[in-house]
Amino acid sequence: MQSFLSEYLPILIYILLCILIVLLIIISVKVIKTMNRVEGIVDDVDDKVKSLNGIFNVVDAVTDKLSALTEVISDSIILFIKGIFKKKKKKIEKEQEEEEIDE
């Protein structure tokens, strides 16, 4: 039994190692092909994103303009409302002064 193991066991191990090496080579080739496909997809997506940069810049510019416009409108509305209250306050103060003068 000892001679059987000592003669055939190294041969069996070498055969299994050869099979393992062949399998690793096949897996490596498939991984390389897959990575090439993924690289192509990433390049395609990158090109499409770059083509959308112009649209994003336009949207950004429009939102900046709209923000400035709404700020101007809201400031003018606030100033108008403050003006109305100041006129009422001045009117009330004049009435009080007139009452004091009449007394």
Side-chain angles (χ1 to χ4, degrees):
M1 183 73 172
Q2 182 102 21
S3 68
F4 175 77
L5 284 178
S6 64
E7 291 178 17
Y8 293 110
L9 190 60
I11 294 172
L12 181 64
I13 291 175
Y14 289 140
I15 291 172
L16 290 175
L17 281 174
C18 288
I19 292 171
L20 181 66
I21 289 172
V22 168
L23 288 176
L24 287 175
I25 290 172
I26 291 171
I27 290 172
S28 299
V29 168
K30 290 190 180 233
V31 166
I32 290 172
K33 286 181 181 180
T34 304
M35 292 304 291
N36 287 337
R37 288 184 196 147
V38 168
E39 183 181 358
I41 291 170
V42 168
D43 289 341
D44 188 39
V45 168
D46 189 42
D47 290 341
K48 289 179 181 178
V49 167
K50 284 180 182 177
S51 70
L52 292 175
N53 279 344
I55 294 171
F56 290 138
N57 289 337
V58 168
V59 169
D60 188 39
V62 168
T63 56
D64 288 343
K65 300 288 184 185
L66 286 176
S67 174
L69 179 65
T70 56
E71 185 176 336
V72 167
I73 291 172
S74 64
D75 287 345
S76 62
I77 290 172
I78 290 171
L79 287 174
F80 177 73
I81 292 172
K82 282 184 179 179
I84 290 174
F85 285 118
K86 282 185 180 179
K87 287 179 184 177
K88 285 185 180 180
K89 189 175 181 181
K90 286 181 183 179
K91 185 177 181 182
I92 292 172
E93 287 176 359
K94 281 185 181 180
E95 288 176 359
Q96 287 176 351
E97 287 176 7
E98 288 176 1
E99 287 177 5
E100 288 176 4
I101 294 174
D102 289 338
E103 292 177 358

